[in-house]
């Protein structure tokens, strides 16, 4: 997929999300701070369970949800994303715009989501002096979970998501062919509706 077609695809998704969200006149805003950990793919934790090298992933999501559809903007950050390696410090930041299918079933709201956005990685190598590189990649995510509310405005949330970059990974300006950033994330959150 070329860079231009990726941008057109992203623009179409954003336009669709806004059009779908505008259709639901009873949309409620929400903010949801979360904490979790990455697993699989390129993360330092290769499996969802039985992982000894879990790195905390934290962030916040905010958006609006109606009776069936919603939209979410999500920011997440984790340090030492690639695991504990002597002489290497790494981090990963994501900023994703997600379209949600989030039906209201009493106080329970199961959901599925898909979106596009930024996946930023950063490396610092320290054994031979200070050497740093970072990548800003366009990527996508897909996932789902469930929200449960205890009243009109407060609830909890748990979900699992998968992230994948569109571009090949670069290290110090060299393209590492057929290597794209990909990983999963499991998280729990508090949800405040307003």
């Amino acid at each position: 997929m070329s860079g231009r077609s990726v941008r057109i695809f992203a623009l179409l998704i954003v336009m669709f999300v806004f059009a779908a969200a505008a259709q639901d006149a009873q949309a409620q805003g929400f903010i949801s701070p979360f904490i979790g950990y990455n697993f699989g793919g390129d993360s330092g934790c290769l499996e969802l369970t039985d992982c000894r090298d879990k790195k905390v992933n934290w962030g916040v999501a905010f958006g609006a949800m109606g009776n069936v559809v919603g939209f979410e903007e999500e920011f997440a950050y984790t340090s030492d994303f690639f695991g504990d390696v002597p002489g290497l410090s790494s981090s990963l930041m994501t900023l994703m715009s997600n379209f949600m299918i989030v039906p209201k079933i009493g106080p329970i709201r199961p959901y599925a989501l898909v979106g596009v956005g930024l996946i930023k990685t950063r490396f610092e190598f320290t054994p031979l002096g200070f050497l740093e590189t970072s990548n800003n990649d366009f990527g996508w995510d897909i996932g789902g979970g469930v929200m449960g509310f205890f009243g009109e405005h407060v609830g909890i949330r748990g979900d699992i998501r998968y992230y994948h970059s569109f571009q090949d990974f670069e290290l110090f300006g060299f393209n590492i062919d057929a290597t794209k950033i990909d990983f999963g994330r499991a998280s729990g959150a508090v949800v405040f509706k307003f």
Side-chain angles (χ1 to χ4, degrees):
M1 191 178 266
S2 73
R4 183 177 176 181
S5 60
V6 167
R7 287 190 294 274
I8 291 171
F9 177 70
L11 180 62
L12 289 174
I13 286 177
V14 169
M15 289 172 33
F16 173 73
V17 166
F18 281 119
Q23 296 295 321
D24 202 337
Q26 297 179 354
Q28 280 190 302
F30 71 91
I31 187 164
S32 181
F34 64 84
I35 190 165
Y37 68 94
N38 299 321
F39 64 90
D42 298 309
S43 73
C45 188
L46 298 180
E47 297 178 14
L48 177 60
T49 60
D50 194 32
C51 175
R52 302 187 201 314
D53 193 19
K54 291 180 185 166
K55 298 299 178 195
V56 173
N57 183 307
W58 57 268
V60 64
F62 60 91
M65 53 188 167
N67 290 329
V68 178
V69 298
F71 176 77
E72 170 193 79
E73 193 68 30
E74 183 211 55
F75 166 81
Y77 178 83
T78 190
S79 60
D80 293 324
F81 173 76
F82 295 97
D84 288 326
V85 178
L88 171 68
S89 172
S90 64
S91 66
L92 181 127
M93 188 267 301
T94 58
L95 182 62
M96 294 289 176
S97 300
N98 296 309
F99 172 72
M100 304 172 75
I101 302 292
V102 56
K104 188 174 185 178
I105 307 169
I108 304 297
R109 299 202 71 164
Y111 62 91
L113 57 80
V114 62
V116 293
L118 172 71
I119 300 175
K120 179 180 179 71
T121 53
R122 184 193 58 78
F123 296 91
E124 281 185 30
F125 294 94
T126 55
L128 301 173
F130 184 79
L131 190 57
E132 182 178 347
T133 186
S134 65
N135 291 308
N136 292 314
D137 295 322
F138 189 58
W140 57 269
D141 69 334
I142 189 168
V146 65
M147 298 182 212
F149 290 92
F150 306 112
E152 186 62 29
H153 299 288
V154 180
I156 57 173
R157 171 182 184 176
D159 77 21
I160 294 181
R161 301 182 189 207
Y162 175 73
Y163 296 81
H164 193 83
S165 67
F166 286 111
Q167 294 106 341
D168 287 337
F169 185 70
E170 285 186 11
L171 190 59
F172 299 110
F174 294 101
N175 192 13
I176 301 175
D177 217 14
T179 303
K180 295 176 176 27
I181 295 291
D182 72 312
F183 62 96
R185 188 191 75 213
S187 65
V190 178
V191 184
F192 302 101
K193 287 194 301 183
F194 50 90

